[in-house]
């Protein structure tokens, strides 16, 4: 009986090891395949044309910024961009996307728990920020370390359609990061 218990425990231990082995020794190329790379263009619905909202204001192209009509235009533009539509088919999709970090908190030695991922250098730092469908709110637990404002990164995780507001801009997507790594070209 004692021999049978030992043999049974050993068999369970070996089976657990066999089950876990593929996850522990997964080659980098397989891990990368788990998060297919997407482009920022994939976040914009193909039928969305924000410029059609401003066709009636083309005559203001040369007006000075101080013109009240231009100020009204900026307000209207901000509303259209903050309400930019998202792509429904991205919901729940595992993705990998490059971008630049805009921290939503201090970070420092503790790292970043939350940041915005934007498609180009300087977005959200200079005004106006990009449309909401071009800003991703990223959360990370544990916090990511070694990055600062405008660090170029790859973010891998599951995409959600979730609107967010911050002083840096409105986001149309959210990712709980599975991995944040320094950007490197292929």
């Amino acid at each position: 009986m004692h021999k049978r218990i030992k043999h049974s425990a050993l068999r369970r231990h070996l089976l657990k090891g066999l089950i876990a082995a593929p996850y522990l020794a997964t080659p980098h190329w397989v891990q990368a395949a788990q998060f297919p790379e997407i482009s920022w263009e994939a976040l914009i619905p193909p039928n969305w044309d924000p410029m059609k909202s401003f066709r009636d204001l083309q005559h203001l192209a040369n007006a000075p910024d101080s013109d009240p009509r231009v100020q009204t235009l900026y307000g209207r533009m901000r509303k259209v961009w903050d309400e930019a539509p998202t792509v429904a088919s991205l919901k729940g999709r595992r993705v990998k996307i490059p971008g630049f970090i805009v921290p939503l908190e201090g970070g420092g030695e503790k790292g970043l728990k939350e940041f915005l991922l934007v498609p180009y250098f300087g977005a959200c730092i200079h005004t106006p920020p990009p449309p909401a469908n071009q800003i991703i709110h990223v959360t990370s637990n544990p916090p990511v370390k070694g990055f600062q404002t405008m660090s170029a990164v790859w973010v891998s995780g599951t995409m959600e359609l979730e609107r967010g507001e911050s002083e840096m801009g409105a986001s149309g997507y959210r990712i709980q990061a599975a991995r944040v790594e320094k950007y490197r070209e292929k």
Side-chain angles (χ1 to χ4, degrees), residues 23-129:
Y23 300 105
L24 297 175
T26 304
H28 178 71
W29 61 271
V30 172
Q31 290 176 3
Q34 293 174 354
F35 295 98
E37 185 180 323
I38 65 167
S39 69
W40 285 92
E41 290 80 22
L43 279 60
I44 302 171
N47 60 347
W48 185 60
D49 178 10
M51 295 313 292
K52 72 180 177 188
S53 300
F54 307 109
R55 287 201 176 101
D56 62 322
L57 300 171
Q58 294 301 323
H59 63 282
L60 296 177
N62 295 323
D65 286 350
S66 58
D67 186 316
R69 297 173 301 165
V70 171
Q71 294 302 314
T72 301
L73 170 64
Y74 285 153
R76 201 162 134 190
M77 182 190 78
R78 186 73 264 148
K79 182 173 173 32
V80 168
W81 282 24
D82 287 351
E83 295 173 356
T86 55
V87 177
S89 62
L90 290 174
K91 182 179 178 167
R93 229 173 106 195
R94 296 167 63 87
V95 300
K96 178 179 180 181
I97 188 166
F100 296 91
I101 288 179
V102 177
L104 291 176
E105 58 183 11
E109 287 184 28
K110 294 180 181 179
L112 293 171
K113 290 182 189 176
E114 288 186 82
F115 60 90
L116 299 179
L117 188 69
V118 295
Y120 56 88
F121 189 88
C124 293
I125 302 300
H126 307 291
T127 55

